[in-house]
Amino acid sequence: MPDVLDASPYDALLLLSFGGPEGPDDVVPFLENVTRGRGIPKERLKEVGQHYFLFGGVSPINDQNRALLDALRKDFAEHGLDLPVYWGNRNWAPYLTDTLRDMVRDGRRRILVLATSAYASYSGCRQYRENLADALAALETEGLELPRIDKLRHYFNHPGFVEPMVDGVVRSLAELPEEVRDGAHIAFCTHSIPTSAADTSGPVGEHGDGGAYVRQHLDVAQLIADAVRERTGVDHPWQLVYQSRSGAPHIPWLEPDICDHLEERHAAGVPAVVMAPIGFVSDHMEVLYDLDTEATAKAGELGLPVRRSATVGADPRFAAAVRDLVLERAGVERGQEVTPCALGTLGASHNLCPVGCCPARAPRPAAAGADSPYA
């Protein structure tokens, strides 16, 4: 039997994700949840949902979260970490509030949260914290005893997140025709966000042009590019590019878009491109549609060979990284001296989001941070 690892004071881990429809009838209600409060007509949501209907109305994110749950539970059991793992979503079943209610009724009082977003941004961090505060407020009105909730730090530069992506890029390069392989460029892809949100991402001291969001992605891209050069002996040029833009066209978002980038690279004579979705934990809809469908179609029109590398998903190294992050945070909470594991130039991220970190346009309560109303 493995040695027992100490996760105290925590008694549960919550996998917190975005959620997605599981059938055609779910698509519009799901999008209504995502866009609640914006006044978007149902007919417009049906148009927006067409990319889901192309895949039978089913988002792959839920099955991928189930696979990650299995991987976490397997890793924890094999390494003697006695910590139950729950799952809740922001926008679809299992809903966050329902899961937290179940956890409280199961006697869980100190909960760690793993969000399926590795980087600092409003939508990738603070919005999840706002959802946690909303769920706690709902439980409070029901008279339930509220648990204390902490969120695991950003893990963009943890080896267990970076190394599987290195493998994915190396495999994708190997899949390209030999005559274009060495000249291939790497497009490191992530979700575009409004430039105003990027500029205010991370702690106040990191606000500025692109904020922590852009700097963190650039650091990961450099890590992967350096590792690929060491593995292949070829120094592939690369660029950070963006995808999945939404919202009003007059609002500036991070650029260049992946399709525009492919056109530009083709015009410059680049023989091939590997698209590496470093901004995403799993191959969910925005990867399958925006990269595998739209961007790949654009490359086909151009006659440009492309490959898309895999996301981390349920890779055992990522599950091991989560275990490492749990034990790291538990040690900190017990007052032990802990050396966090992080690659690159930026070091380990903060454990507690400070005041002013990734602010919302309209301030709302957010749990698991220095400004949390739920201590």
Side-chain angles (χ1 to χ4, degrees):
M1 294 292 291
D3 295 333
V4 175
L5 300 178
D6 188 5
S8 65
Y10 298 105
D11 54 20
L13 176 70
L14 169 62
L15 174 65
L16 177 55
S17 193
F18 192 80
E22 305 222 53
D25 293 341
D26 297 342
V27 173
V28 171
F30 162 74
L31 292 173
E32 288 175 332
N33 288 341
V34 174
T35 61
R36 183 175 289 115
R38 302 184 201 172
I40 299 177
K42 183 171 289 189
E43 290 306 311
R44 173 58 181 152
L45 293 180
K46 289 179 181 178
E47 295 175 13
V48 172
Q50 286 305 310
H51 57 286
Y52 286 100
F53 292 122
L54 289 175
F55 295 88
V58 178
S59 170
I61 194 171
N62 292 322
D63 279 345
Q64 289 162 2
N65 280 327
R66 293 182 185 104
L68 179 55
L69 281 171
D70 289 344
L72 292 172
R73 289 166 178 159
K74 181 174 184 288
D75 179 272
F76 288 6
E78 289 178 348
H79 291 86
L81 179 57
D82 184 16
L83 192 70
V85 186
Y86 294 74
W87 170 35
N89 290 323
R90 285 170 46 181
N91 299 299
W92 203 248
Y95 288 102
L96 170 59
T97 301
D98 296 335
T99 299
L100 273 183
R101 185 184 298 110
D102 289 342
M103 297 177 80
V104 169
R105 289 173 175 168
D106 288 346
R108 311 304 176 192
R109 295 294 178 264
R110 289 292 303 271
I111 297 170
L112 264 177
V113 174
L114 167 68
T116 53
S117 177
Y119 301 86
S121 70
Y122 170 74
S123 57
C125 183
R126 185 176 177 89
Q127 192 170 15
Y128 282 106
R129 294 176 48 226
E130 292 175 352
N131 298 143
L132 286 165
D134 291 342
L136 289 170
L139 299 188
E140 190 172 32
T141 64
E142 298 173 13
L144 294 175
E145 181 180 353
L146 298 187
R148 175 173 165 178
I149 294 179
D150 293 322
K151 180 178 174 292
L152 289 173
R153 66 176 173 88
H154 302 304
Y155 47 85
F156 62 93
N157 56 3
H158 194 287
F161 185 70
V162 174
E163 290 167 2
M165 293 190 292
V166 173
D167 288 351
V169 172
V170 170
R171 282 194 300 269
S172 292
L173 286 166
E175 291 169 0
L176 287 168
E178 186 174 359
E179 62 272 18
V180 300
R181 187 179 304 149
D182 286 353
H185 284 222
I186 305 172
F188 291 109
C189 307
T190 191
H191 205 301
S192 184
I193 60 175
T195 56
S196 58
D199 293 346
T200 56
S201 58
V204 172
E206 298 181 34
H207 292 180
D209 188 16
Y213 186 75
V214 171
R215 282 193 290 276
Q216 289 171 0
H217 280 86
L218 288 173
D219 208 44
V220 171
Q222 187 68 65
L223 282 167
I224 296 172
D226 289 346
V228 169
R229 183 184 65 251
E230 292 173 6
R231 292 265 296 272
T232 65
V234 179
D235 191 7
H236 291 274
W238 61 269
Q239 186 171 339
L240 179 64
V241 302
Y242 302 93
Q243 61 175 92
S244 311
R245 180 202 163 115
S246 61
H250 68 279
I251 297 176
W253 284 53
L254 293 173
E255 296 178 336
D257 177 77
I258 178 60
C259 289
D260 295 337
H261 178 69
L262 292 176
E263 288 186 338
E264 189 274 332
R265 291 292 80 202
H266 177 257
V270 168
V273 173
V274 167
M275 301 181 292
I278 62 172
F280 306 94
V281 172
S282 65
D283 289 3
H284 53 57
M285 185 58 71
E286 286 168 316
V287 175
L288 293 186
Y289 184 76
D290 296 333
L291 294 183
D292 293 357
T293 305
E294 282 195 330
T296 300
K298 171 59 69 175
E301 294 172 9
L302 298 170
L304 177 67
V306 295
R307 296 294 185 274
R308 195 269 293 174
S309 64
T311 53
V312 172
D315 190 289
R317 288 169 292 182
F318 182 48
V322 174
R323 168 171 40 88
D324 180 64
L325 291 166
V326 166
L327 296 173
E328 173 194 305
R329 184 60 182 273
V332 169
E333 292 299 307
R334 294 195 302 269
Q336 297 174 343
E337 185 174 341
V338 175
T339 302
C341 188
L343 301 174
T345 64
L346 299 181
S349 187
H350 49 266
N351 278 321
L352 189 70
C353 291
V355 175
C357 193
C358 303
R361 284 177 293 178
R364 291 175 52 198
D371 55 355
S372 171
Y374 301 100

